[in-house]
Every structure is written in C-alpha cells, then in structure tokens.
Amino acid sequence: MAIATCEDLCQYGAPVAQTRQSGAELLLVINGSPYEQDKVDVRYELVARRAAEAGCTLAYLNMVGGQDELVFDGDSLVVNAAGKILARGPQFDEDLLIVDLDLEPSTVNATHPSGHGVLHVTISDSPIPPYAAAPAVLAARLDPVGEVYRAVQLGLRDYVRKNGFHSVLLGVSGGIDSTLVATIAADALGGENVVAISNPSKYSSQGSKDDAAELARNLGLDYRVIPIEPMVSAFLDNVKLTGVAEENLQARVRALVWMGLSNQEGHLVLVNSNKSEVSVGYSTIYGDSVGGYAPIKDVHKTLVWELARWRNAEAGHRGEKPPIPLASITKAPSAELHPGQVDQDSLPPYDLLDAILDRYVEGALGRAELIDAGFDPAAVDKVIGLVDRAEWKRRQFAPGPKISSLAFGRDRRLPITSRWREQNPQS
C-alpha cells in the first residue's frame, strides 16, 4: 500500500509514479477536500485518472465537517485502475466504509527511488482462509440543491459547536431569507436551540407577522415578539432622521435587540443576508448585517428560493408537514422599512441580478463581455457599480460557509480605496 496526501493527487508526479514503481496494489489518499457545487464529478474524474496512472486501486478518503468558511463533505470513494467505483461513502455524514479488495500480491522488492527502503510488514506466511466478502456500499448521491442545503447545515452546526455555543438567535420577519436560515438552524441544532425574534415595526404587514409565527410553530423555535416602534419613536424624538436614515435606524434597533439578548443569554447571532445582497451591499451595516455567522452568505437569492422549496419537498417525502409557509416563498421580497417597499425598488429582478453577478463575480467577466453576452448595458452598469462600491461592507461581514468556486471574504478581496471604476466608454 502506498499513501499520498491531499494535493499530491492534483498533479501527476512523485506519489503516483512511485506507486507504480513500488508495485503497490493500493494507493490510499488522505484528503481535506472542501465542498463546492458541481465538485463531485470533477473529484471522481481526477481519482479515476490517477488510479489508471498508478496502475492500481485508489482509495480516496475525505474528511467530514465544517471549519470556518470551509465545509468538508466526505464523499470518500474507492476506484480500481479501470475507473470503476467499487465503493462510495455518504456525503456530509461520517461513516465507516468497509471495502473488501481482491488484490494481487506485489512481486516487486519495493524501494524508494531515493534509495531508502520501504517498510514491509508480514502478517502471515499462510494464505488467508476463504470468507464471504463484505458487500460493496455505494451511498446514494444527493441532488444539486440538496447538496447545498446539507453543506450549509453542516457548516452552521460545526461552527456553533466547535466554537463553544449551544444555541443561536436570529431575527425572523416572515421573509424568505430569515425563514430559510431559521429552518437550517433548526435542522442543524434542534428547534429548541434556536431563538427567533420577531421585531415588527409600524410598517410590518400582518401577513409577514403571521408567517413568522407559523414558521416558529412548525419548527418548535423559542419564539419571541419584541416590537421596535417604541424604541424607534424614542430615538426619533431626540435625533431627527428621515428617508433612508430613518429606514436604517429601524434595522439597527433590531440589531441592538439581538445583540443585547445574545450578550445576556449567550446565543450566537445569525445573519440572514444572502450572496446577492452581500454582492451589491443591499444590507444595513450594523443592522441586518450584524451577527457572528452568516449561513447563506454564499447562496444567491434565486437559490434561496430553490432551497426553501427543496426543504419543503423533503418534508413531504418523509411524511412530515412542510416547515416553510408557502407565503414566505411566493410573496415579493421586502425589508418593510417604508410603506409598500419591495426589493425591486432598488435592485434589478433577482433572476437578472444573479445572472449578472454569476458572470461578473465568479466568472470574472468585464463590462464589455457582459454586454456581448446579451445583458442590458444599463443593468450591467448598475450592478457593477453596486458590487464595486460595497467592498467596505463585505470586509465587515460575518463568515459563512463556502459553496461556490468564489466566495466573498475568502476568494475575492479587492481594495476598498480605488479611484478606478469600469465605466461606460460613452459616458
């Protein structure tokens, strides 16, 4: 048996070549390979290619768990030299995967190319008695949306537990983002360990308040209603604010309530912002962006809706009541900080916004390339401007699990101070 570690597998070189030279019949690769969307097929293709190059069976052992922004998804597998998967472990769950391999004994007197001997251990000179081989285990693959849900759930669970917390707290408004984060938290930690705070203002609709209460009942959350209007009014009596400043005050008063209860009771405060909002700075600094961990920070808004529908469908498959109220999924997103407010007052429609963000942020396309791809120049200019100006907010944002090939705070960091801006050449 030969052993390689993690990145040694990524390029053809010494570990693979030495495995072939040594006559080893098994290459064991010990990995800390973090999860990203669409990585499963890439991982298999690499493992199969290296098994063929080494000329032997390859066992790819990957860790499971969360570490700050990274989530390690398991998905260990054993592949023979012909590329056939002999066994595969589950995703996002620790497991003991037992694989019976019928390998030819090595006929090579294995010596390291440097001249150093390779350790040989003889178990017995007698052949092993015949026995019934253990059946191969091929764990079922999750669908793409289910993978993301399990990734952010595991990332949150391990961040909370490994940092010594026992419970979390978040604001719930009845909107889709807080609803999804509360559901993920309940799945990760148990509903009894999730404190859900409803902070209605004078602009909060009855429907939103009802949706938040229904969610809390469905998940068994520690649900508390603390209206902010008395606190906001007291502030405005002393400091006159109007317009956006008054809207942001409401978000910041809510944050004061969350952080106060966090200090008093020892909860970790969760941030509900998604990647679309983080990209364009659509959040109130020291308001709805406050907290210690952001479970959907790397999840685009359009994927937030998909995750919510997936979680309800999963409940249906298990014969359970879907936890997320249908109205939270179908209603127009709104911060409800002034009468009739909806997100699309300030942003392009989310399907358009996410399509541009995917190409500009993760695809690294420039303005001209985005327009060549068919996007409206005015929309491109608006989105690029918002993303570039929001870097200072992102620097102050809480960590969150990485699910994409490029996550803010870990893979993409730009100067805050820069006079250069990509401009429309006609302007």
Side-chain angles (χ1 to χ4, degrees):
M1 182 176 69
I3 298 177
T5 304
C6 208
E7 292 182 356
D8 291 341
L9 193 68
C10 292
Q11 56 183 348
Y12 182 84
V16 173
Q18 290 168 13
T19 300
R20 181 178 287 276
Q21 293 171 11
S22 72
E25 293 295 329
L26 174 67
L27 173 58
L28 173 63
V29 187
I30 304 169
N31 291 270
S33 175
Y35 170 76
E36 289 178 10
Q37 290 172 286
D38 305 320
K39 195 173 186 177
V40 170
D41 290 339
V42 174
R43 187 179 286 160
Y44 162 71
E45 291 167 2
L46 174 63
V47 168
R49 186 164 65 251
R50 294 295 182 253
E53 292 165 351
C56 68
T57 298
L58 190 155
Y60 180 97
L61 173 64
N62 194 32
M63 71 182 292
V64 178
Q67 174 67 37
D68 293 345
E69 294 97 342
L70 298 181
V71 179
F72 301 95
D73 58 320
D75 192 35
S76 299
L77 67 161
V78 181
V79 175
N80 66 17
K84 180 183 178 181
I85 298 178
L86 305 179
R88 196 161 198 167
Q91 298 166 282
F92 306 105
D93 287 319
E94 293 183 359
D95 193 31
L96 177 61
L97 183 63
I98 298 176
V99 187
D100 239 314
L101 299 175
D102 186 11
L103 303 177
E104 296 294 327
S106 176
T107 58
V108 177
N109 183 13
T111 303
H112 192 280
S114 66
H116 297 107
V118 176
L119 177 65
H120 293 269
V121 178
T122 300
I123 298 175
S124 173
D125 292 332
S126 303
I128 299 174
Y131 66 96
V137 174
L138 293 172
R141 304 293 87 200
L142 293 166
D143 64 84
V145 179
E147 279 187 2
V148 172
Y149 193 94
R150 289 297 310 279
V152 296
Q153 177 186 341
L154 177 58
L156 171 60
R157 187 201 72 183
D158 278 12
Y159 191 87
V160 171
R161 292 180 177 176
K162 292 178 181 180
N163 284 290
F165 290 94
H166 301 285
S167 57
V168 296
L169 180 150
L170 73 157
V172 290
S173 64
I176 189 61
D177 296 319
S178 64
T179 295
L180 179 63
V181 171
T183 305
I184 293 168
D187 287 342
L189 306 168
E192 69 278 6
N193 297 312
V194 179
V195 179
I197 307 295
S198 172
N199 296 124
S201 73
K202 63 182 181 181
Y203 303 119
S204 298
S205 66
Q206 187 60 47
S208 292
K209 291 185 281 188
D210 292 344
D211 293 338
E214 180 184 350
L215 174 77
R217 287 193 300 270
N218 292 344
L219 296 173
L221 309 182
D222 179 352
Y223 181 61
R224 310 177 195 178
V225 179
I226 304 175
I228 63 170
E229 179 57 31
M231 292 174 270
V232 171
S233 295
F235 189 98
L236 292 175
D237 287 341
N238 292 275
V239 181
K240 303 302 181 184
L241 300 177
T242 59
V244 174
E246 181 183 358
E247 294 176 19
N248 290 342
L249 171 65
Q250 298 170 68
R252 290 177 178 133
V253 169
R254 287 171 176 151
L256 284 173
V257 173
W258 306 336
M259 294 308 298
L261 291 173
S262 168
N263 292 159
Q264 181 73 24
E265 301 175 5
H267 312 294
L268 174 68
V269 176
L270 300 183
V271 187
N272 296 322
S273 296
N274 59 67
K275 189 171 188 176
S276 305
E277 295 171 344
V278 173
S279 298
V280 298
Y282 192 66
S283 62
T284 302
I285 197 77
Y286 321 124
D288 52 315
S289 65
V290 77
Y293 194 73
I296 59 173
K297 177 184 179 180
D298 200 31
V299 179
H300 283 297
K301 184 76 170 192
T302 48
L303 182 53
V304 167
W305 279 304
E306 290 186 60
L307 289 169
R309 287 190 288 266
W310 180 90
R311 179 60 180 83
N312 275 1
E314 280 296 294
H317 296 156
R318 297 197 293 259
E320 301 169 355
K321 179 182 178 181
I324 298 176
L326 181 60
S328 294
I329 300 175
T330 58
K331 66 186 173 186
S334 171
E336 293 191 332
L337 297 176
H338 67 246
Q341 181 185 26
V342 293
D343 291 3
Q344 256 60 82
D345 293 339
S346 306
L347 300 174
Y350 277 114
D351 55 349
L352 173 59
L353 175 62
D354 286 354
I356 296 175
L357 289 174
D358 181 62
R359 291 161 177 81
Y360 181 59
V361 175
E362 296 174 31
L365 299 185
R367 178 183 186 277
E369 293 167 304
L370 289 167
I371 293 172
D372 287 344
F375 292 104
D376 176 66
V380 170
D381 290 339
K382 181 179 180 66
V383 172
I384 287 178
L386 290 171
V387 172
D388 291 352
R389 288 194 296 271
E391 182 69 20
W392 70 279
K393 283 189 178 182
R394 290 191 289 270
R395 293 281 187 94
Q396 302 180 63
F397 220 85
K402 170 183 164 71
I403 63 153
S404 68
S405 60
L406 193 152
F408 288 117
R410 182 171 185 88
D411 307 317
R412 188 184 194 272
R413 186 180 174 98
L414 299 176
I416 296 173
T417 304
S418 175
R419 294 180 63 185
W420 182 86
R421 293 285 185 271
E422 187 167 6
Q423 299 289 340
N424 181 348
Q426 304 300 321
S427 63

